[in-house]
Structure formats: C-alpha cells, structure tokens
Amino acid sequence: MTDQPMVRAENVHKSFGRLEVLKGIDLEVRQGEVCCVIGPSGSGKSTFLRCINHLEKINAGRIWVDGDLIGYRERGGKLHEMREKEVAEQRRAIGMVFQRFNLFPHLTVLENVMEAPLRVRREPKAQVRERAVELLSRVGLADKVDAYPGQCSGGQQQRVAIARALAMRPKLMLFDEPTSALDPELVGEVLDVMKSLASEGMTMIVVTHEIGFAREVGDSLVFMDGGVVVEAGAPREVIANPQHERTRAFLAKVL
C-alpha cells in the first residue's frame, strides 16, 4: 500500500441543466480497498461513478486516479479539458461494469473479452486470446468461450462483462449496481467473482444495493443521499450503528 490514494475526489459538483446531482463530494479510496456506495435512487451514486472515468464531465472540483487528474490539465490554477484521445488513454486503467451488460451480441463470449485489448491496446492476438481464456476460466465460464451473449443467462453475461473489463488490466474497477438487473438466484455468482477480485487486492468502488456484500467485503461504506455523502465509515459500524437519522431510515428499509 502506498500513501497516495488510488481515488481522490475533492468538492465534486455535477449538474444536468438546473438539476444539481452532485453537491460537493469528497472521497478517498486507498489502493487495494473496496469502497461500497449505497443510497436511494437518484442520490447521485451512479453519476459520481461515471465522473471518475470522465464519462460525465464535472462542473466543479477535481478527481484524481492514482495521482493523475482525470479529464483535465491544471495550468496556472485553471483547469483545461483534455482531448478525447488523452481521456481515452486515462480510461484504459479504469475498468467499468454497468447494470446492463453491454456485450456485443454478434461476437462470441471470447471475442467480447478479446475486443478491447486487440483494438485499443493492439496486443498480439495469441497473447490476448490466452489471457481471455484464462479470465473466462477465472469467472467460471471456461465452457462458454464459443457461446454468444444471447445463449447466456444474465449472471453469465455479467461475469463476461467483468472478464472483459479485466482484460484491459485496470488498476481500478468501478461497478455500477452490477447485480440489480439480475434474477435473485443469479446474484450470488456475480458477487462471488467480485469477492475473489477483492481478495486479490483489486481496488474497487461498488455502487450496490447488496448490503450483505458491503458488510462482508467492503473496507469502507459510503451512504449518499441528495447528492452529498451523508455518512461514511467501516461497513459494519455504519450498518450496525448509523450516526445520521437519514442513514438509519434508509437502512431500516433495506435490511
């Protein structure tokens, strides 16, 4: 572990027109840490996650990943937006898994995992294929390499999406409610893959409704509501003994 946080957000603001979605978010996630973010719908959780890899441009504040300012260069105290090509370069180090799997339906499971390293990193095909097979095996899908996404269950498709993100060798993984679109009996297989990633030391920020996962796997828990961080701390502490009335009310509904 280094002293430098893997993710540091400072006074992050984001608006869509007149709607202020993020109202000054401060957050630090250390290397190797699993940070779970919970809160009601519309609290800004997913928007904040998308700001970390500059899929959404922030209106104020700053976000650093592994010491690099994301999406902007600072000159003379002013921020200048980077070119799209430079932002894409930064994004390579940040894996993201969405609620919807976003797999290419016309490509096999193996081809989906190979696509980005081949096209973006231009790595040798044999090497990419070997790594993709290894990653699919790691997420329990060694028998699905030649299947198409439409032939896979939702849980299997989400595990393919995780393998695809890992194929780019990210230093940070962002999960945006990765189990919320799944049938309840398929949730466990995706959470198991995420648990094994956590045990291997992957830095992760997980927006989730799975309170049990947050309690068991999370190193830190952040409760967001109304575009602000209401409460943050060790997951077991926050869940067992929330300090804020708003956190108590939310947890009473979901536990």
Side-chain angles (χ1 to χ4, degrees):
M1 294 243 178
T2 60
D3 286 343
Q4 177 176 278
M6 178 59 80
V7 178
R8 179 154 69 98
E10 213 173 74
N11 196 27
V12 172
H13 288 256
K14 172 68 185 173
S15 297
F16 295 103
R18 289 185 175 177
L19 179 66
E20 197 180 4
V21 179
L22 301 177
K23 303 173 183 174
I25 300 286
D26 293 309
L27 184 73
E28 279 198 4
V29 180
R30 310 213 74 74
Q31 202 167 332
E33 186 179 317
V34 178
C35 171
C36 294
V37 184
I38 62 171
S41 294
S43 56
K45 310 181 300 290
S46 294
T47 298
F48 176 61
L49 212 59
R50 292 170 66 84
C51 289
I52 294 172
N53 63 1
H54 207 62
L55 285 174
E56 297 290 355
K57 297 174 185 181
I58 60 179
N59 298 109
R62 287 164 171 68
I63 298 173
W64 292 265
V65 172
D66 203 18
D68 293 329
L69 188 61
I70 294 294
Y72 301 92
R73 262 202 193 78
E74 193 162 357
R75 280 200 295 269
K78 284 209 170 103
L79 293 183
H80 301 268
E81 192 163 356
M82 286 180 171
R83 295 198 301 274
E84 187 52 44
K85 192 176 175 185
E86 296 170 300
V87 175
E89 186 64 39
Q90 289 187 323
R91 276 197 201 114
R92 290 183 189 188
I94 305 170
M96 187 154 184
V97 177
F98 300 87
Q99 278 181 45
R100 298 282 164 196
F101 327 119
N102 298 340
L103 299 175
F104 296 115
H106 64 289
L107 298 180
T108 65
V109 162
L110 183 64
E111 288 165 345
N112 265 283
V113 178
M114 291 174 65
E115 181 77 356
L118 285 177
R119 283 183 183 271
V120 180
R121 287 194 184 274
R122 305 199 180 284
E123 292 176 6
K125 190 167 185 180
Q127 186 183 313
V128 170
R129 184 189 167 84
E130 187 181 335
R131 179 162 165 73
V133 168
E134 183 190 309
L135 285 168
L136 286 167
S137 177
R138 186 167 153 194
V139 299
L141 293 172
D143 59 334
K144 291 287 182 187
V145 289
D146 296 322
Y148 287 88
Q151 298 168 311
C152 299
S153 71
Q156 289 168 338
Q157 289 188 60
Q158 193 60 294
R159 285 185 281 153
V160 175
I162 294 172
R164 181 182 57 181
L166 292 173
M168 291 293 281
R169 297 186 173 86
K171 54 178 113 172
L172 169 68
M173 284 286 282
L174 306 176
F175 291 89
D176 188 6
E177 297 188 17
T179 59
S180 65
L182 301 178
D183 291 335
E185 70 269 22
L186 301 177
V187 167
E189 62 192 46
V190 173
L191 293 180
D192 285 345
V193 170
M194 293 167 65
K195 285 174 193 172
S196 77
L197 275 181
S199 69
E200 290 160 17
M202 174 62 79
T203 311
M204 294 156 58
I205 303 179
V206 185
V207 170
T208 186
H209 293 297
E210 302 291 337
I211 304 295
F213 174 84
R215 187 195 282 119
E216 183 188 341
V217 183
D219 297 298
S220 60
L221 182 66
V222 173
F223 172 64
M224 280 179 68
D225 188 31
V228 299
V229 172
V230 176
E231 188 164 348
R236 286 167 193 271
E237 280 294 303
V238 174
I239 292 165
N241 187 24
Q243 299 300 299
H244 290 259
E245 182 50 48
R246 185 67 196 90
T247 319
R248 277 196 287 277
F250 175 77
L251 287 170
K253 282 185 186 152
V254 297
L255 286 176

